[in-house]
Amino acid sequence: MATLPEPTSEPVIASLKPYYCELRAGRTIAWCKCGRSKRQPYCDGRSHLGTGFEPMLYTVGDEPEEVLLCGCKHTGTPPFCDGTHSNLPGGYRGDDRSDEHRAALRRAESTADGVRQLDAQCYVVAPATTRPRAPGFWIRKIIAPSLGAQHQSQFYMELGSGNSPVLAAGDRSVILFVAKGEGQVEISGRPFALAESDGAHVRAGEAFRLTADRPMVLFVSALPAAEALDTLDTMPTNFDERHPDRVRGVDEAQRSEMGPRYFQMLVDKSVGSTDAAQFIGHIPPSRAEMHRHLYEEALIILSGAGIVWNDESCAPIAAGDVLFLPRKQAHSLECTHPDGMDVVGVIHPGDNPGINY
């Protein structure tokens, strides 16, 4: 008779990366919690015996699901990955492709409007490339369905002084980031102060108007994606009182570590955003392992410089650029600046930038 393992308080790490799985509607799975199963990430019916662990059952809803099932068995959101693996020993690794391999990749060249096209729909854009000479209010579409996005749009906005038009995105939510300057945002009749590096959330159905005390540069995301923002004649007064707090600034006490990198959430469920999120983070000189996300991501480079790597191409990236990453797009972001790189990201659909596979 086989000897059963001794009960233990710690599971075995089956994999330092989660398992990508496509689950059909209505299916019930038994997720391996002990880490010993030979059918990862699922229970094999016997390997957990005597360990003190039992498999976890999860039933899919009425629609099929693409999920990342935890492989390290230390997640705080079982059975799904929550990024914990990045902070386990050996869990955060760099790109192990050879210098010869990377040297052979295609270098993406910039177009006249500042776009470097990488693999598939992945690209880097320098939004200010087409800035008009006259100061004032200016907006440029940099991410949208017509440019290859499926889930989010982003607009680059400059406001030299005074007020912007009243803007809205219909039944979509809007996430703002102040890259430069300070002023106010009025959200459906409710005013909020805005400072540099603040994030703000406008709920679906609401409108917003900006006032610049000092010239402002902002990135404005519409979620789900839209080709343009609407301009309204008057400001509605339908502010959603269920979520009175809408602006978040940088707070070092709220940082989360992800290997040698860290990030802080700005816009998330705490300000009423349920299926999209905005974060600000720092990348030290390093080259990340090639990885993918199940969410679509727009990454704004605030400072520093580096290189974005895909499977077949690469491009330089620097302060002021925006990197667009489609869902499931393999990529690695390398920071080459000695002081590191500060970034702001918007992800949708999703709420945790620490999850990758």
Side-chain angles (χ1 to χ4, degrees), residues 258-292:
M258 189 172 67
R261 308 180 177 202
Y262 63 77
F263 66 90
Q264 178 209 328
M265 303 306 299
L266 292 175
V267 172
D268 58 9
K269 291 182 176 66
S270 68
V271 292
S273 181
T274 57
D275 62 353
Q278 178 192 67
F279 65 93
I280 187 167
H282 179 77
I283 302 172
S286 60
R287 184 190 301 127
E289 181 182 21
M290 291 290 287
H291 62 279
R292 295 174 170 84

Side-chain angles (χ1 to χ4, degrees), residues 6-19:
E6 292 294 326
T8 176
S9 60
E10 288 293 323
V12 173
I13 297 174
S15 169
L16 284 169
K17 285 287 189 180
Y19 297 92

Side-chain angles (χ1 to χ4, degrees), residues 11 13 39 85 89 106 116 128 160 181 186 193 203 212 222 245 256 319:
I13 297 174
R39 294 184 58 248
H85 62 269
R106 175 180 63 86
R116 292 182 173 90
E186 180 185 1
R203 288 181 59 78
D245 298 326
S256 298

Side-chain angles (χ1 to χ4, degrees), residues 21-166:
C21 300
E22 298 178 3
L23 306 179
R24 65 178 183 271
R27 178 185 176 187
T28 296
I29 64 167
W31 172 67
C32 168
K33 200 171 183 179
C34 71
R36 297 171 181 267
S37 171
K38 304 302 187 295
R39 294 184 58 248
Q40 293 295 335
Y42 308 114
C43 176
D44 63 10
R46 57 183 179 276
S47 296
H48 63 274
L49 297 177
T51 65
F53 289 96
E54 294 290 335
M56 178 178 180
L57 300 182
Y58 172 74
T59 300
V60 183
D62 295 334
E63 298 293 332
E65 296 181 8
E66 290 180 298
V67 298
L68 295 179
L69 296 178
C70 173
C72 74
K73 313 303 178 181
H74 286 71
T75 179
T77 59
F80 308 114
C81 173
D82 69 351
T84 295
H85 62 269
S86 292
N87 293 318
L88 296 176
Y92 191 92
R93 292 172 288 187
D95 185 1
D96 59 2
R97 296 183 299 175
S98 68
D99 291 342
E100 291 77 12
H101 177 94
R102 287 192 298 274
L105 299 180
R106 175 180 63 86
R107 264 53 177 173
E109 299 294 333
S110 179
T111 63
D113 54 358
V115 177
R116 292 182 173 90
Q117 191 71 48
L118 290 108
D119 291 7
Q121 300 300 323
C122 180
Y123 61 88
V124 176
V125 57
T129 301
T130 58
R131 176 192 289 119
R133 291 180 180 271
F137 175 73
W138 176 58
I139 186 170
R140 176 185 175 182
K141 176 174 64 181
I142 55 175
I143 297 173
S146 60
L147 301 174
Q150 296 183 10
H151 300 279
Q152 65 172 293
S153 297
Q154 190 172 100
F155 305 88
Y156 175 84
M157 188 179 298
E158 293 188 2
L159 180 61
S161 62
N163 298 326
S164 74
V166 178

